[in-house]
């Protein structure tokens, strides 16, 4: 059974940083595409960043240059380093994995506010 457990969310001031972590179990982590999506109140869930087994990355235009996704296959963990945070980054952030079908974590709240 696939389990994705996020951590690292919280309240941060504009311009600040947070690092999200997602620990995966029940999957052959090193062959899965991993990523992060987010959903703000009243909006659809949207892609933030993806990383494939080879380490190739893909980012939403809104986070390019500010967010960095990485993975540690030895720890079955994917990270999202978020810098220069803006109020519009406020959302629930969901960990995502996919080999043939998608799997989702329970989400972690990120709030950017002064």
């Amino acid at each position: 059974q696939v389990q994705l457990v996020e951590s690292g969310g919280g309240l941060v001031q504009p311009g600040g940083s947070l690092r999200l972590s997602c620990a995966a179990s029940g999957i052959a982590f090193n062959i899965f595409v991993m990523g992060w999506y987010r959903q703000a109140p009243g909006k659809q869930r949207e892609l933030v960043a993806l990383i494939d087994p080879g380490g190739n990355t893909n980012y939403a235009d809104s986070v390019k240059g500010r967010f960095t996704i990485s993975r540690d296959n030895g720890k079955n963990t994917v990270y999202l380093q978020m810098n220069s945070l803006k109020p519009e980054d406020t959302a629930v952030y969901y960990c995502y994995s996919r080999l043939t079908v998608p799997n989702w974590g329970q989400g972690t709240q990120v709030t950017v506010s002064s």
Side-chain angles (χ1 to χ4, degrees):
Q1 183 177 355
V2 178
Q3 275 199 316
L4 303 173
V5 180
E6 303 100 333
S7 60
L11 173 64
V12 63
Q13 291 187 340
S17 298
L18 282 175
R19 188 175 84 152
L20 304 183
S21 300
C22 171
S25 60
I27 60 173
F29 183 85
N30 61 318
I31 63 172
F32 272 64
V33 172
M34 301 297 299
W36 294 92
Y37 281 70
R38 67 186 181 187
Q39 188 167 17
K43 295 189 176 181
Q44 289 189 330
R45 191 172 297 190
E46 63 176 4
L47 171 69
V48 176
L50 294 174
I51 184 166
D52 73 11
N56 300 301
T57 58
N58 183 34
Y59 294 94
D61 287 343
S62 59
V63 307
K64 281 180 182 177
R66 300 188 298 121
F67 290 12
T68 302
I69 189 171
S70 61
R71 63 192 295 161
D72 185 333
N73 290 340
K75 295 183 178 180
N76 283 12
T77 300
V78 62
Y79 304 97
L80 185 68
Q81 178 66 44
M82 305 185 293
N83 299 329
S84 302
L85 282 160
K86 305 175 181 180
E88 51 264 43
D89 294 317
T90 295
V92 178
Y93 283 70
Y94 295 92
C95 184
Y96 165 92
S97 73
R98 189 190 80 241
L99 184 59
T100 56
V101 296
N103 299 286
W104 300 94
Q106 81 286 354
T108 186
Q109 177 70 46
V110 172
T111 302
V112 184
S113 175
S114 55

